[in-house]
């Protein structure tokens, strides 16, 4: 195998990113509301018009047993919300908040994709978004909403 040229690599990354966004828009995971929720928050990104509600069921030992997202918005916000739900389900609240910080580092460009934690897994496809500041808010919205819900706040806004 020849070493990939930088341009090859970024094309492959862009392609993977587009596939993931398409897939999660077509069939968003954990969509709806958790029936016996313990936490809930509404999030909005007025710049883009994205609006999501995150509901959670956290068990007695602080593990996220169920998580669901409902709402609508652009493709990036929706894919990110779907992937957020997959990523935090089954984790402890502390782990979810750590993941929130790691994801924020990645999409704002504070952390490079190479330095990003392996915990992020598929979420790493969002690394290119740092170049588009308006889109960072779309990608972060459901995560901010998750954080607000876990903090016992009802509302989250990117503004
Ligand atoms: Zn958006």
């Amino acid at each position: 195998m020849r070493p990939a040229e930088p341009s090859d690599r970024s094309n492959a990354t862009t392609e993977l990113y587009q596939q993931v966004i398409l897939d999660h828009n077509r069939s968003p995971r954990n969509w709806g509301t958790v029936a016996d929720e313990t936490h809930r928050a509404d999030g909005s990104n007025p710049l883009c018009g994205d609006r999501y509600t995150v509901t959670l069921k956290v068990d007695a030992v602080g593990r996220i047993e169920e998580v669901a997202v409902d709402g609508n918005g652009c493709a990036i916000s929706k894919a990110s919300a779907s992937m957020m739900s997959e990523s935090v389900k089954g984790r402890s609240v502390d782990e979810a908040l750590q993941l929130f910080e790691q994801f924020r580092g990645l999409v704002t460009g504070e952390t490079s994709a190479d330095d990003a934690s392996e915990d992020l897994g598929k979420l790493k496809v969002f690394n290119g978004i740092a170049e588009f500041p308006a889109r960072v808010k779309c990608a972060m919205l459901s995560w901010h909403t998750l954080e607000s819900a876990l903090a016992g706040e009802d509302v989250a806004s990117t503004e």
Side-chain angles (χ1 to χ4, degrees):
M1 269 178 46
R2 70 187 172 90
E5 297 294 326
S7 61
D8 288 352
R9 187 171 166 232
S10 80
N11 283 342
T13 307
T14 305
E15 208 167 285
L16 175 64
Y17 168 74
Q18 285 167 348
Q19 278 174 14
V20 168
I21 301 278
L22 272 173
D23 173 42
H24 282 267
N25 272 279
R26 208 176 289 136
S27 48
R29 321 295 198 269
N30 305 303
W31 219 247
T33 51
V34 174
D36 41 359
E37 66 189 48
T38 57
H39 297 72
R40 161 190 289 255
D42 296 318
S44 70
N45 174 17
L47 269 186
C48 182
D50 312 317
R51 301 184 71 88
Y52 295 97
T53 299
V54 173
T55 51
L56 299 152
K57 184 182 180 190
V58 178
D59 71 12
V61 294
R63 198 179 62 95
I64 299 173
E65 204 172 302
E66 295 289 343
V67 52
V69 183
D70 206 4
N72 245 308
C74 68
I76 289 169
S77 67
K78 192 170 189 180
S80 178
S82 171
M83 291 174 78
M84 179 279 288
S85 74
E86 276 192 322
S87 305
V88 303
K89 191 173 180 178
R91 292 197 193 234
S92 71
V93 169
D94 287 346
E95 286 168 347
L97 292 174
Q98 269 173 29
L99 205 58
F100 165 78
E101 290 300 340
Q102 288 165 355
F103 186 68
R104 179 158 67 182
L106 184 78
V107 299
T108 57
E110 282 169 32
T111 316
S112 74
D114 291 337
D115 292 339
S117 165
E118 286 305 317
D119 288 346
L120 285 169
K122 282 195 289 181
L123 294 171
K124 282 191 179 186
V125 299
F126 284 96
N127 75 81
I129 220 164
E131 294 166 41
F132 309 98
R135 289 302 183 184
V136 171
K137 292 182 176 184
C138 299
M140 285 306 301
L141 175 60
S142 61
W143 287 89
H144 280 300
T145 311
L146 169 78
E147 191 200 26
S148 294
L150 290 172
E153 294 158 8
D154 301 334
V155 181
S157 175
T158 54
E159 294 308 301

